[in-house]
Amino acid sequence: MESPRPLRYAIVLWWTVAFLLLLQAGLMWSGRSELVQQLGEQQQLVPADATARAQQMIVANTGIAVVLAAAYFGFGAAVLKRHSWARVALTAFALVHLVLVLGSGAVFSVHTILLVLGGTAAVLMWRQPSTEWLTGER
């Protein structure tokens, strides 16, 4: 039996979040020189220290983005294969992502879009038709 439409929409939204995370990480690498300049001006760092700090920030953010994107892609695929545990895992990763975003204070820009997409996906994923299909009641 085919998965319910709300669940398919939810998975597409999770995969969109994953893609946007990877895109954002790529854009950070391409904008590395601007970050170095900002760090130098805002934190009054010498160019070598600003470069090292920017590199450290970009590598850390890329690592986090890759882990979250892999979780969204992988657990999304597992949900579509009717593994109900994957829905719980996907929700847990989304909550970790939410805490990371809120903890960083970066709730503006693309993070707002990611939060809206993720929140909508979570609601769709936990609706009754999705639950019934995942638990085998339908």
Side-chain angles (χ1 to χ4, degrees):
M1 180 186 353
E2 188 175 280
S3 60
R5 189 173 295 182
L7 185 62
R8 289 193 308 267
Y9 290 159
I11 300 308
V12 168
L13 289 174
W14 286 124
W15 289 347
T16 302
V17 168
F19 175 76
L20 289 174
L21 283 168
L22 296 175
L23 180 64
Q24 181 185 21
L27 291 174
M28 284 183 65
W29 282 98
S30 68
R32 184 173 53 232
S33 60
E34 290 84 16
L35 181 59
V36 170
Q37 183 180 357
Q38 282 180 336
L39 287 172
E41 292 171 1
Q42 292 174 354
Q43 297 181 5
Q44 298 176 349
L45 298 173
V46 296
D49 290 341
T51 301
R53 177 74 176 126
Q55 184 74 13
Q56 180 184 26
M57 289 174 61
I58 291 172
V59 168
N61 285 330
T62 300
I64 292 169
V66 167
V67 167
L68 288 171
Y72 290 141
F73 282 130
F75 290 134
V79 167
L80 287 179
K81 291 181 180 177
R82 217 169 182 164
H83 298 292
S84 59
W85 58 265
R87 179 173 63 163
V88 175
L90 191 53
T91 303
F93 265 88
L95 290 174
V96 168
H97 188 187
L98 176 65
V99 168
L100 287 172
V101 168
L102 294 177
S104 72
V107 292
F108 299 104
S109 70
V110 74
H111 293 293
T112 303
I113 295 167
L114 295 176
L115 291 174
V116 169
L117 291 174
T120 304
V123 168
L124 290 172
M125 191 171 60
W126 284 94
R127 291 192 62 208
Q128 185 175 356
S130 301
T131 299
E132 290 174 352
W133 182 79
L134 282 170
T135 58
E137 294 175 28
R138 263 180 50 181

